[in-house]
Amino acid sequence: MGAAMKFGVNTMIWSGAFDSSIPLDKIKQEGLDGIEIPVFDAKDIDIAVLKRALSDSDLECTFCSVNPPGKNPISEDAAVRAETLEHWKQVIATAGEAGVRLIAGPTYSPVGHLPGRRRNDDEWKWGVDFHRQLDTALQDADAELAIEPLNRFETYFLNTAEDTIRFVDEIGSPRVGILFDTFHSNIEEKSIPRGYQMCGSRLKHVHACENDRGVPGTGHVDWISVLGTLRQIGYDGWLTIESFNGTIPQLAAATAIWRDLAESMDDIAFEGAAFLKRVWEKENQA
């Protein structure tokens, strides 16, 4: 199963939007299978342009998304929860129209929303109900949703594999699973490989990020153990490098990147992908 792994890059390495600054031809030339693009508002995506670009470059695509300002699935305000539900249904419908089969991200709460306390039982219930209500939209779009736990500095709601597994199991939809990210789990897990092992068949997406969001293979993430675990659990989805262009003020502020993470952003994508592919091939030969 592991031999079918797909290698991708998140386009926020270059830009905060899907635009001409993204080197699609080079991404293909470097042996990558696809891109992950940010979708903050469904209306921002020109489906025809996206489909043509993917066709011309022979690349596949996944979406990543967050709750934009004013949207919160676990708000105390029922009207806000209802508006947020419609927002995510639109994102899912857009994915379906574009032929995108996976949407991933911290779907449950706005990034950076930290009320200074632990989550409560009402928020948990609202979060579960919210995701259950997306099931029909996911079926209609023939898409899946991968819920991403974040580190404690970005969310108070889901930080660990254990909590996210419980959340996904309570939602109870085969179309809803987990995105597990090496950057966040480097902070929150006792063992990153153990986190992947726990996710098991619930794992629908992987963000491959070095501990500083720089070039994978240049930091202290134990990639041999991580990729070995993915092979052991039979994961055959996307291994997508995620980082952010810190020269774009909006991205820098959202991700707290205040320095260059590599000599060039291309290095994060292409040197990182080459490294990950080498490790993956070795694991499959082991």
Side-chain angles (χ1 to χ4, degrees):
M1 292 178 68
M5 176 84 83
K6 294 180 180 181
F7 292 85
V9 287
N10 190 298
T11 60
M12 285 188 286
I13 288 172
W14 296 280
S15 175
F18 184 69
D19 58 32
S20 60
S21 71
I22 299 162
L24 296 177
D25 290 342
K26 187 173 183 181
I27 290 169
K28 184 64 179 180
Q29 290 167 8
E30 293 288 337
L32 289 152
D33 301 297
I35 57 174
E36 182 163 278
I37 68 171
V39 181
F40 304 123
D41 189 327
K43 296 190 293 294
D44 293 339
I45 300 298
D46 188 321
I47 295 172
V49 168
L50 174 60
K51 291 179 75 172
R52 184 166 58 250
L54 294 172
S55 177
D56 289 347
S57 58
D58 190 26
L59 290 168
E60 295 181 55
C61 183
T62 61
F63 281 180
C64 64
S65 191
V66 299
N67 288 285
K71 302 294 189 290
N72 184 357
I74 56 172
S75 169
E76 293 182 357
D77 187 333
V80 171
R81 299 200 301 272
E83 290 172 6
T84 306
L85 182 65
E86 292 309 308
H87 162 77
W88 279 96
K89 284 181 177 179
Q90 290 170 10
V91 171
I92 292 167
T94 299
E97 290 179 51
V100 171
R101 299 295 172 234
L102 180 76
I103 306 115
T107 53
Y108 43 82
S109 180
V111 178
H113 174 54
L114 301 168
R117 56 167 174 79
R118 299 185 184 191
R119 64 170 186 256
N120 59 43
D121 292 342
D122 284 340
E123 290 169 330
W124 184 271
K125 176 181 177 297
W126 291 328
V128 169
D129 288 346
F130 162 78
H131 287 88
R132 286 176 176 170
Q133 291 178 79
L134 293 177
D135 197 58
T136 299
L138 289 168
Q139 290 183 48
D140 291 344
D142 191 20
E144 295 184 318
L145 193 68
I147 298 173
E148 179 181 24
L150 302 179
N151 69 75
R152 68 190 70 185
F153 306 108
E154 297 184 31
T155 189
Y156 71 114
F157 192 80
L158 289 178
N159 302 127
T160 65
E162 183 177 9
D163 273 2
T164 311
I165 289 165
R166 185 163 68 90
F167 192 64
V168 164
D169 285 353
E170 198 163 324
I171 293 164
S173 168
R175 291 187 177 270
V176 177
I178 297 172
L179 156 58
F180 204 57
D181 182 317
T182 53
F183 173 80
H184 299 294
S185 56
N186 179 64
I187 297 171
E188 297 297 341
E189 301 293 332
K190 300 293 188 185
S191 164
I192 302 175
R194 173 61 178 155
Y196 281 106
Q197 189 176 52
M198 289 169 62
C199 289
S201 62
R202 305 171 188 84
L203 186 66
K204 292 193 179 293
H205 199 42
V206 173
H207 275 171
C209 310
E210 195 48 84
N211 61 281
D212 63 348
R213 290 203 184 277
V215 181
T218 63
H220 64 239
V221 172
D222 183 356
W223 293 106
I224 292 174
S225 295
V226 168
L227 296 186
T229 301
L230 292 178
R231 182 183 59 78
Q232 290 167 10
I233 67 173
Y235 178 75
D236 59 358
W238 285 97
L239 188 69
T240 296
I241 296 174
E242 182 190 49
S243 190
F244 306 94
N245 190 334
T247 67
I248 299 173
Q250 187 178 10
L251 288 182
T255 58
I257 293 174
W258 314 119
R259 58 184 173 84
D260 293 338
L261 300 174
E263 288 190 16
S264 80
M265 297 307 293
D266 280 12
D267 290 346
I268 296 176
F270 304 134
E271 290 184 11
F275 166 79
L276 292 171
K277 291 176 86 168
R278 286 196 303 272
V279 176
W280 181 247
E281 287 166 6
K282 286 181 180 178
E283 285 305 310
N284 277 331
Q285 292 168 2

